Amino acid sequence: MTRFRQAVRTLLRSEILDAAYQLVTDEGWAGLRVAPVARIAGCSRQTVYNEFGTNAKDAIGLALVEREAEHFLLGIQAQLDAHRASLEEAATAGVGFVLRRAVDNPLIRSVLTAARGGQDDELLAYLTTRPEPVFDTATTMLDAYAADAWPEVDAVSRSLAVETIVRLTVSHIVQPAADPEESARRIAVITTRIAYPGKA
Amino acid sequence: MTRFRQAVRTLLRSEILDAAYQLVTDEGWAGLRVAPVARIAGCSRQTVYNEFGTNAKDAIGLALVEREAEHFLLGIQAQLDAHRASLEEAATAGVGFVLRRAVDNPLIRSVLTAARGGQDDELLAYLTTRPEPVFDTATTMLDAYAADAWPEVDAVSRSLAVETIVRLTVSHIVQPAADPEESARRIAVITTRIAYPGKA
DNA sequence: CCAAGGTGTCAACGGCTTGAACAGCCCTGC
DNA sequence: GCAGGGCTGTTCAAGCCGTTGACACCTTGG
């Protein structure tokens, strides 16, 4: 109810996710247990279930991915703000930022390597077969940003461009091409052509 | 009991003290009311009393001063670490750091100006007539540090030097001389002579 | 003199954490 | 094959703690 209570809830979620993040990057998602998460977070096991409900492990995985995505989105916004004048430059900077950070992001590394080795692809699914959480957040933010920064692009073209840049970027995270910078430039060209169809 | 619970208590105290700090620097200690503190801290008035007990206002004032002192002590330690080789240089750096920061520290400024104007010297008393909380913390920390860094100074000389440097520094905070750097050098000389009585 | 506002306290309420216990499941090792 | 152990998901009672509203008391200013 009060702001302090909300702060406590936020703190609790944060502590639990921090603990889960650490355990996932150390030992992989498959080896994650609820009890160690609670121990490292400094609360009881039941508190984790109270906060994340039944199937706490899945909810933690989703929250982990969402938080990481939100983290990326903050960085992307900074990149876009620095290249607001040109859509293509902004796209290059934003995608380049994501691809560069993705290769040394502990969580993504852990998920990718684990999935390549065995069948531990539960978290990877949020980037492949069940990417709605990430896609929705990213497209919503980017669409709002694009509508504000490049109003000359009509709604349909904007929607097409945003969906394309999100899907291509995620694709390159999961299956990286040789050079992140080159990939970013290519994605930016594609996005720009979709946004400005007349500008042959 | 659990680490999370402790974190919640710490957070609560922190929020309350932040709110009080803001109100004191804005409107002075005399105008401080418990209700606004609770409102800004984001909790109920009763919670403030639960946390700080009867005479909550006094307890908050003490906690405010102690936290500020602790903040200074952290900075002092960094200065000492950077000049561990020479007691005089370390003393100059430490005292200089304190005197420089003191003149633009919002809390100290607010307390000093309010006390010079009216009779609102309740907080100032922690630096003048009732300085035990600050003195005790500072002397304890400095004595331990000195025993570790300059073991060649005997216990009696060390105790004398630590007490002197603390008292003189606080005196210069309340009643600043012309130049903080010059004051620091003078205090350092005095302290060094007390610590090494033979080294005429 | 009294109205207003701040203080310190209390009891009831409710949310939330905790610890304990239990059934179901999976895996390991005998 | 099977017994044992570890983990999961769930429930329950107990207790802590913040919140709320009310109250008596004091100080202050019109």
Side-chain angles (χ1 to χ4, degrees):
Chain A
M1 183 68 87
T2 62
R3 198 169 59 258
F4 172 63
R5 300 288 266 191
Q6 294 180 350
V8 170
R9 282 186 70 85
T10 304
L11 176 66
L12 176 60
R13 282 186 80 87
S14 169
E15 298 276 4
I16 293 176
L17 290 182
D18 287 347
Y21 189 102
Q22 175 187 329
L23 287 170
V24 168
T25 54
D26 282 359
E27 308 164 19
W29 171 258
L32 187 67
R33 300 282 173 267
V34 174
V37 170
R39 185 170 43 76
I40 295 181
C43 67
S44 78
R45 195 168 62 93
Q46 282 62 28
T47 301
V48 176
Y49 282 103
N50 292 344
E51 181 60 31
F52 286 92
T54 302
N55 292 53
K57 205 177 155 188
D58 292 347
I60 289 176
L62 175 56
L64 219 46
V65 170
E66 282 177 339
R67 191 176 71 160
E68 206 69 4
E70 209 126 339
H71 202 219
F72 268 87
L73 283 178
L74 288 179
I76 293 173
Q77 280 210 347
Q79 295 293 319
L80 298 185
D81 285 336
H83 301 80
R84 223 169 188 273
S86 157
L87 191 153
E88 183 165 341
E89 286 179 19
T92 307
V95 175
F97 167 82
V98 172
L99 295 186
R100 259 177 280 123
R101 290 295 173 85
V103 297
D104 52 40
N105 180 281
L107 185 62
I108 296 180
R109 286 176 61 92
S110 172
V111 169
L112 284 180
T113 57
R116 298 213 197 294
Q119 64 275 49
D120 178 12
D121 58 353
E122 199 170 329
L123 277 190
L124 184 61
Y126 289 120
L127 293 180
T128 55
T129 62
R130 229 169 344 119
E132 294 87 3
V134 173
F135 273 20
D136 289 355
T137 324
T139 53
T140 300
M141 189 280 273
L142 290 180
D143 202 78
Y145 191 97
D148 181 60
W150 303 290
E152 70 273 13
V153 178
D154 66 284
V156 173
S157 299
R158 194 203 313 141
S159 171
L160 289 175
V162 165
E163 183 183 342
T164 303
I165 199 172
V166 171
R167 286 184 181 273
L168 287 182
T169 303
V170 170
S171 169
H172 274 76
I173 292 174
V174 179
Q175 196 66 239
D179 181 15
E181 306 301 336
E182 174 62 16
S183 301
R185 273 191 294 273
R186 294 168 65 90
I187 293 178
V189 168
I190 296 168
T191 304
T192 307
R193 292 191 185 175
I194 296 176
Y196 301 108
K199 269 188 164 180
Chain B
M1 184 67 87
T2 61
R3 195 168 62 257
F4 172 64
R5 300 288 262 190
Q6 293 179 350
V8 170
R9 282 188 68 86
T10 304
L11 176 65
L12 176 60
R13 282 187 79 87
S14 169
E15 298 277 5
I16 293 175
L17 290 182
D18 287 348
Y21 189 101
Q22 175 187 329
L23 287 170
V24 168
T25 54
D26 283 0
E27 308 164 19
W29 171 257
L32 187 67
R33 301 283 173 266
V34 175
V37 170
R39 186 171 42 78
I40 295 182
C43 67
S44 75
R45 195 169 61 94
Q46 182 67 28
T47 301
V48 176
Y49 283 103
N50 290 344
E51 181 60 31
F52 287 92
T54 302
N55 292 53
K57 206 177 153 187
D58 292 348
I60 288 176
L62 176 58
L64 220 45
V65 170
E66 281 178 339
R67 193 178 68 161
E68 208 68 3
E70 208 127 341
H71 201 217
F72 269 86
L73 284 178
L74 288 179
I76 293 174
Q77 279 209 348
Q79 296 292 322
L80 298 185
D81 285 336
H83 302 81
R84 221 169 192 275
S86 157
L87 190 153
E88 184 167 342
E89 287 180 17
T92 306
V95 175
F97 168 82
V98 171
L99 295 184
R100 258 178 281 123
R101 291 295 173 85
V103 297
D104 51 40
N105 180 280
L107 186 62
I108 295 179
R109 286 176 62 92
S110 172
V111 169
L112 283 182
T113 58
R116 298 213 197 294
Q119 65 275 49
D120 178 14
D121 59 351
E122 200 169 331
L123 276 189
L124 183 61
Y126 289 120
L127 293 179
T128 56
T129 61
R130 231 173 339 122
E132 295 86 3
V134 174
F135 274 19
D136 288 356
T137 324
T139 53
T140 301
M141 189 280 273
L142 289 179
D143 202 79
Y145 191 97
D148 181 59
W150 304 290
E152 69 273 14
V153 179
D154 65 286
V156 173
S157 301
R158 192 202 315 139
S159 170
L160 290 174
V162 165
E163 183 182 344
T164 303
I165 199 171
V166 170
R167 287 183 180 273
L168 287 181
T169 303
V170 170
S171 168
H172 274 77
I173 292 175
V174 178
Q175 198 64 238
D179 181 15
E181 306 301 336
E182 175 62 16
S183 302
R185 273 190 295 273
R186 293 169 64 91
I187 293 178
V189 169
I190 297 168
T191 304
T192 308
R193 291 192 187 173
I194 296 175
Y196 301 109
K199 267 188 165 184

